[in-house]
Amino acid sequence: MSKKPLGKDKFGVQKVMRVKDYFGDATGQFALNAMSTLVGQLTYFYTDKVGMAAGAIATMFIVCKIIDAFTDLIMGNIIDHTKPEKKNIVRGF
């Protein structure tokens, strides 16, 4: 199914994104901003409140991300090979 062409904007530039594309991009940017804020807050806490060195914190974060990358692959494999449970659903409530 072909989509309707978007046309050009007031400057004559071809449009390439629809409203839902902007919404999807905005939600992704929100998530990235939230994660950056959390990393900044954790770095502040560990350096100023706990007293750890900034290099140790950076090393801890990179090790955690590497471990997370491998555990994501392992969990994805587990989920892919898990058969769904059959349930008897009673209709008509």
Side-chain angles (χ1 to χ4, degrees), residues 17-33:
M17 292 178 64
R18 292 178 165 75
V19 173
K20 67 179 181 178
D21 297 327
Y22 283 110
F23 179 73
D25 183 57
T27 55
Q29 292 296 324
F30 177 78
L32 287 172
N33 191 16

Side-chain angles (χ1 to χ4, degrees), residues 5-92:
L6 295 173
K8 298 186 178 194
D9 65 3
K10 64 182 180 179
F11 300 110
V13 178
Q14 179 68 40
K15 293 181 183 179
V16 294
M17 292 178 64
R18 292 178 165 75
V19 173
K20 67 179 181 178
D21 297 327
Y22 283 110
F23 179 73
D25 183 57
T27 55
Q29 292 296 324
F30 177 78
L32 287 172
N33 191 16
M35 291 307 297
S36 296
T37 302
L38 288 174
V39 168
Q41 291 295 322
L42 282 171
T43 303
Y44 167 74
F45 173 75
Y46 285 132
T47 55
D48 291 354
K49 303 299 180 190
V50 177
M52 292 176 66
I57 296 166
T59 304
M60 178 186 68
F61 281 148
I62 193 70
V63 168
C64 288
K65 290 302 259 181
I66 291 170
I67 292 171
D68 183 51
F70 286 108
T71 56
D72 285 347
L73 292 173
I74 293 167
M75 261 331 280
N77 191 16
I78 291 171
I79 290 171
D80 286 344
H81 291 93
T82 303
K83 294 183 180 178
E85 180 182 333
K86 291 184 179 179
K87 293 185 179 182
N88 293 329
I89 299 173
V90 179
R91 307 259 181 204

